[in-house]
Amino acid sequence: MKLVFALALFSAVPLYAQREIPSVITTDEAQPTARVTDAVHPKQHPDKILLGPWQMRHFYALEGIHNQGEGQTIAIIGAHHNPVIEHDLQVFSSRFGLLPCTFKNKCLEQVAVSGAGPSGWTPTLGRPVNDDGKPHGYGEEEMDMEWAHAMAPAAHLMLVEGPSGSWPDYVRCVQAAVEHGATVVSLSLAEPEREDHKGAYLSNNKYFTDRRAVYVASGGDHAHTARWPASSPDVVGIGGTTITTNAAGERLGEIAWTKKSDKEHATGTGGGTSIAVPEPQAQIAFGLPGNAQHMRGTPDVSLYATGKIGIAVYNSNTNPESHEAPLWHQSGGTSAGAPMWAGLLATINSMRLQAGKKPLSQFDGGSFGTGTLAAIYTVGKQHPEAFLDITEGTNGDCGDECKAGPGYDYLTGLGSPNGKVFVDAMVALP
C-alpha cells in the first residue's frame, strides 16, 4: 500500500509564560494579533507570523481548562529514527512556556519497532539499518510531537518508529504502542481509499480495536474521498478548517478547508463515504445525511488546518539534499489536527479518570455502541452546542457530499470543539 502523509494546555497554574511584546494587528484569514499569543517569526521570513499554542487555545475557547493530560500517554507513529526530537521538543516547549518534556524527566520516550512486529521491540540506538538517510517524515514527527505536547503538556509522549514507511510497519507500531502503555495513538497518515486495497483496510482495522487506547488519524489534505485509517470504525478521523478573524485577532468564523485547484495536487480537507468500511454503530445512531448504503463517513470532527498562515513547528533535522534545516517554519493540514485532537482527548481521559470514570475507549453508549466514537457522537446528538458547526466550504465536485452544511457533513464531521462546553460534555458522560 502506498503511503500518503497528510499535511502535514491546560494547567492548574499558569501553563504558558506569555511574554510582553508589541501587538501586531493583522486581519483577514487566520491572522490573529500578537496579543493573543507570542508570535513566531521564522528567520527566513521575519515578516511572517506563525500560530502558537495560545492562538489555538483562544480560537477554541480552551483557556478555562486546567487539566494537562496527567496520567496519559500519547503515542505518535512514525518511520525511522529521528535523532533530534528531544532537542526540538525542548526548543518548542521553551519558546511557548510549556512544561519541559525530556528523556531525563521521563516525559519523553523514543522507541523503535523491528520488522518482526511487537515482539521485536527494541530501544532506539541510532537509525534503523534500512534508513536511507533522507528526511522522511521527520517534519511530520516534529509537528505531531510538539502540538500533542502543546495540548496536553503533562502527558507522557512516545515516538514510535518503524523500520520503514509501509503500512505493515505502521500498524505494527500501533499495536506495539498500546502494548507499551499508550492511551492515545495519533497517526498523521492517510491513504486515499482504493478499490484494490479494500481487503487490506478491512483486515487491518483489527489494529485499532484494543480498548486500552483512543485512536486518531488525519483525514487527508487533497480534497474529496475518504482516507484510511481515518475511515477505520474505531478511529477518530480529523477534518480541516480555516478560521477568519477581525482586525483585533478575534475569531469571527470557521469554514471547511476548501479545495483550491482542479489540478492533480488539489488541496483541501479530505472526507467522504468509505468504499470499504461499513458505517459504525455510532454513526448509524446519529444519522448521517445521504448515506443510503450505510458506509463509514469521514471525518468525525475537525480543527484548524490552514489559512494564510500556519502553525509554528521547530525542526532541526538537516535535509540531506539542501544540507539545511528548516528550524522554525510554517506547517499545518489535517496532520496538525490529529495530534491536537489526540492531546485534547488525552486531557478528557485524564479528567474522566480523576472523576472515577472509564476512559473514552471503554465508554458504553448503548444504541451508539462502545468506544470513543460512541462518546463523540452521543455528545453530538445530546449536546450539539458542544461543537462549532461548520456550514461553508467545498472539497470537490461531487454534489452534497462535497459541501459543508448544518449538522454533520463529509468535510468537517460534527464540527470543531466548542472549548469547555465540549470538554465538560465529554467528561460528564457516564
Side-chain angles (χ1 to χ4, degrees):
M1 295 166 67
K2 180 182 178 182
L3 172 68
V4 179
F5 277 106
L7 282 179
L9 283 331
F10 319 105
S11 171
V13 296
L15 174 60
Y16 300 93
Q18 188 172 8
R19 300 165 178 80
E20 292 294 330
I21 58 174
S23 295
V24 179
I25 303 298
T26 58
T27 188
D28 205 358
E29 188 178 317
Q31 297 206 27
T33 170
R35 285 197 297 263
V36 177
T37 187
D38 220 358
V40 168
H41 301 273
K43 183 177 180 181
Q44 298 89 337
H45 304 282
D47 57 324
K48 271 189 173 292
I49 296 176
L50 304 185
L51 300 175
W54 266 112
Q55 285 142 321
M56 211 57 65
R57 283 167 56 86
H58 186 73
F59 282 161
Y60 293 108
L62 292 166
E63 294 95 335
I65 308 300
H66 300 300
N67 185 283
Q68 301 179 68
E70 296 93 340
Q72 297 294 298
T73 296
I74 302 173
I76 302 299
I77 306 301
H80 305 287
H81 176 59
N82 188 324
V84 298
I85 192 63
E86 182 185 35
H87 170 266
D88 290 356
L89 188 57
Q90 284 181 293
V91 172
F92 184 88
S93 299
S94 176
R95 180 65 181 79
F96 292 112
L98 295 167
L99 297 173
C101 189
T102 66
F103 297 130
K104 185 176 181 180
N105 69 9
K106 307 299 184 183
C107 169
L108 177 63
E109 184 177 6
Q110 184 179 16
V111 291
V113 176
S114 76
S119 61
W121 182 272
T122 58
T124 296
L125 299 172
R127 296 173 181 238
V129 294
N130 66 335
D131 189 348
D132 57 13
K134 294 183 178 179
H136 298 290
Y138 294 158
E140 200 69 56
E141 293 171 1
E142 251 79 5
M143 176 173 66
D144 291 8
M145 296 288 283
E146 290 166 10
W147 281 88
H149 184 55
M151 297 295 280
H156 180 78
L157 291 183
M158 181 190 300
L159 178 56
V160 185
E161 301 167 326
S164 76
S166 70
W167 282 116
D169 283 338
Y170 280 128
V171 294
R172 278 193 285 265
C173 285
V174 170
Q175 186 175 6
V178 178
E179 289 183 355
H180 286 77
T183 56
V184 182
V185 179
S186 179
L187 300 97
S188 289
L189 312 165
E191 175 178 287
E193 288 191 345
R194 297 169 40 175
E195 285 285 345
D196 58 333
H197 285 176
K198 289 170 67 173
Y201 304 143
L202 296 174
S203 174
N204 286 329
N205 284 339
K206 64 179 178 289
Y207 290 99
F208 305 102
T209 58
D210 192 316
R211 295 298 183 187
R212 288 177 288 179
V214 170
Y215 306 92
V216 181
S218 51
D221 297 346
H222 301 288
H224 178 256
T225 69
R227 266 75 172 172
W228 191 88
S231 61
S232 184
D234 293 287
V235 174
V236 181
I238 311 300
T241 68
T242 293
I243 289 175
T244 57
T245 70
N246 62 17
E250 302 296 323
R251 180 185 183 277
L252 290 179
E254 193 167 4
I255 66 172
W257 180 20
T258 295
K259 182 179 179 181
K260 299 296 185 183
S261 169
D262 291 327
K263 297 179 181 179
E264 180 181 354
H265 299 294
T267 59
T269 182
T273 51
S274 174
I275 63 173
V277 182
E279 189 177 22
Q281 184 60 38
Q283 292 188 329
I284 294 174
F286 183 85
L288 300 191
N291 192 10
Q293 301 302 315
H294 290 290
M295 301 304 287
R296 169 75 159 107
T298 61
D300 300 297
V301 292
S302 290
L303 207 72
Y304 178 81
T306 189
K308 290 185 177 178
I309 55 177
I311 62 171
V313 173
Y314 189 82
N315 178 12
S316 65
N317 277 290
T318 300
N319 187 310
E321 296 174 355
S322 67
H323 304 291
E324 296 179 353
L327 303 181
W328 284 111
H329 66 286
Q330 173 175 308
S331 195
T334 59
S335 290
M340 283 191 269
W341 263 98
L344 183 58
L345 294 174
T347 297
I348 293 168
N349 262 352
S350 178
M351 295 172 70
R352 286 180 60 83
L353 292 173
Q354 289 173 4
K357 298 181 178 182
K358 293 181 179 180
L360 295 172
S361 57
Q362 298 172 26
F363 170 73
D364 186 349
S367 63
F368 282 79
T370 59
T372 312
L373 282 191
I376 289 173
Y377 281 91
T378 297
V379 166
K381 179 66 77 174
Q382 297 179 354
H383 302 283
E385 71 280 4
F387 291 92
L388 301 169
D389 194 12
I390 315 300
T391 61
E392 299 180 45
T394 63
N395 71 345
D397 305 307
C398 63
D400 289 343
E401 187 169 297
C402 288
K403 297 177 182 178
Y408 180 94
D409 58 64
Y410 299 98
L411 285 74
T412 64
L414 296 168
S416 298
N418 187 12
K420 195 171 184 297
V421 178
F422 171 75
V423 173
D424 286 349
M426 293 289 284
V427 174
L429 290 171

